[in-house]
Amino acid sequence: MAKITAVANQKGGVGKTTTSVNLAACLAVAEKRVLIVDFDPQANTTSGMGIDKNKLSKSIYDALVGNESLSAVVIPTEVDYLRLAPSSINLVGAEVELVDRENRECCLRELLVSVRSDYDYIIIDCPPSLSLLTLNALVAAETVLIPIQCEFYALEGLGQLLHTIDLVKSALNTRLEIEGILLTMFDSRLSLSRQVAEEARRHFNGKVFETVIMRNVRLSEAPSFGKPIVFYDALSTGSKNYLQLAEEFLKHD
């Protein structure tokens, strides 16, 4: 039975998609059966896996609104053990279409029930907002992984996300726990990066991953080639960081 983890932060540009793609790929390298759900209408996870989102005939949107089963929209990737539920721009309209549906915040959870036994891990890449889509991901998940960039205002808004997680846990999903806070875009040369890391570890004692994702050019390049970093440049700092994160993630089970 798959462990379901949502990768969430309402701030954009913090490394959600990078983390979703590369954590999923590194788990797959460890021969774990992984499904990555691209739940962001921008579909960056889909393109980051080398899939042309404009050539897809169906996506997670079609499953969410009831036109297709989830298994019908899931597609293979070039990575063994890793499959993808792709996104499309149509997902923007899903929130409007779901607004009158009973238990609308539980739609994704109901979809995942049908495929959960086929995987060891399900990773959900959330949109950069506290929207109905993100709420669906939090209701469906058992844990939340929160990337934060080591830059000014990194912790701003995190309190709102944590409050939302607490509300979801109390009202809709009692199983929900914080998997961990992941420090991304860390530059050891900058005192600001070190200060943010220290503040995060002090403020969220025990909740911050030991692994830190360093700022890395090869990691930034990989999505444009449609490859996770471990397949784009296995010897890069970014690859080593995400392999280490996957190892730490596996120890949480």
Side-chain angles (χ1 to χ4, degrees):
M1 191 70 77
K3 173 182 176 179
I4 304 174
T5 299
V7 181
N9 190 327
Q10 75 269 30
K11 290 186 73 174
V14 299
K16 282 190 301 298
T17 296
T18 300
T19 295
S20 299
V21 167
N22 291 298
L23 174 59
C26 289
L27 292 172
V29 166
E31 298 189 353
K32 303 298 182 183
R33 300 169 302 160
V34 185
L35 172 65
I36 184 166
V37 178
D38 189 350
F39 219 46
D40 185 346
Q42 296 176 86
N44 290 334
T45 288
T46 300
S47 56
M49 290 302 307
I51 308 297
D52 186 343
K53 59 190 176 186
N54 297 314
K55 292 183 179 178
L56 291 168
S57 59
K58 49 197 172 187
S59 70
I60 188 68
Y61 163 80
D62 297 286
L64 200 63
V65 299
N67 296 335
E68 296 281 356
S69 66
L70 182 56
S71 58
V73 307
V74 169
I75 58 176
T77 70
E78 293 184 0
V79 180
D80 290 342
Y81 296 96
L82 178 57
R83 295 175 70 80
L84 168 72
S87 184
S88 73
I89 192 64
N90 293 338
L91 198 55
V92 169
E95 296 200 49
V96 176
E97 294 180 55
L98 295 177
V99 75
D100 292 326
R101 186 182 295 188
E102 189 176 358
N103 296 324
R104 60 185 179 272
E105 65 280 348
C106 300
C107 296
L108 181 60
R109 179 167 68 184
E110 291 165 6
L111 284 179
L112 293 179
V113 167
S114 64
V115 301
R116 194 170 177 184
S117 61
D118 299 332
Y119 301 97
D120 299 309
Y121 295 94
I122 296 174
I123 306 291
I124 307 169
D125 182 25
C126 297
S129 62
L130 292 178
S131 60
L132 181 56
L133 292 176
T134 299
L135 181 59
N136 261 265
L138 295 177
V139 171
E142 292 169 286
T143 67
V144 190
L145 192 162
I146 306 169
I148 63 169
Q149 81 280 42
C150 293
E151 295 175 357
F152 203 58
Y153 296 135
L155 303 181
E156 188 180 75
L158 196 53
Q160 186 182 359
L161 175 61
L162 295 174
H163 179 62
T164 300
I165 291 169
D166 285 342
L167 289 176
V168 170
K169 183 173 181 176
S170 63
L172 297 166
N173 182 5
T174 55
R175 304 169 305 157
L176 189 63
E177 300 290 345
I178 294 174
E179 182 73 37
I181 293 169
L182 177 66
L183 300 169
T184 66
M185 305 176 199
F186 183 87
D187 188 336
S188 59
R189 299 168 300 178
L190 300 178
S191 60
L192 179 59
S193 281
R194 297 193 298 273
Q195 288 168 9
V196 171
E198 288 169 11
E199 186 178 349
R201 293 192 190 282
R202 184 172 63 251
H203 194 70
F204 302 105
N205 185 33
K207 291 290 187 184
V208 180
F209 282 99
E210 289 297 320
T211 302
V212 172
I213 309 301
M214 308 291 286
R215 190 176 290 280
N216 179 243
V217 173
R218 302 296 277 173
L219 188 59
S220 301
E221 290 173 351
S224 63
F225 290 87
K227 291 180 182 294
I229 186 60
V230 72
F231 292 97
Y232 177 63
D233 186 347
L235 299 179
S236 68
T237 299
S239 178
K240 292 172 184 175
N241 289 166
Y242 275 107
L243 286 166
Q244 185 181 344
L245 175 65
E247 186 178 346
E248 190 174 351
F249 182 85
L250 287 169
K251 288 178 181 176
H252 285 191
D253 286 0

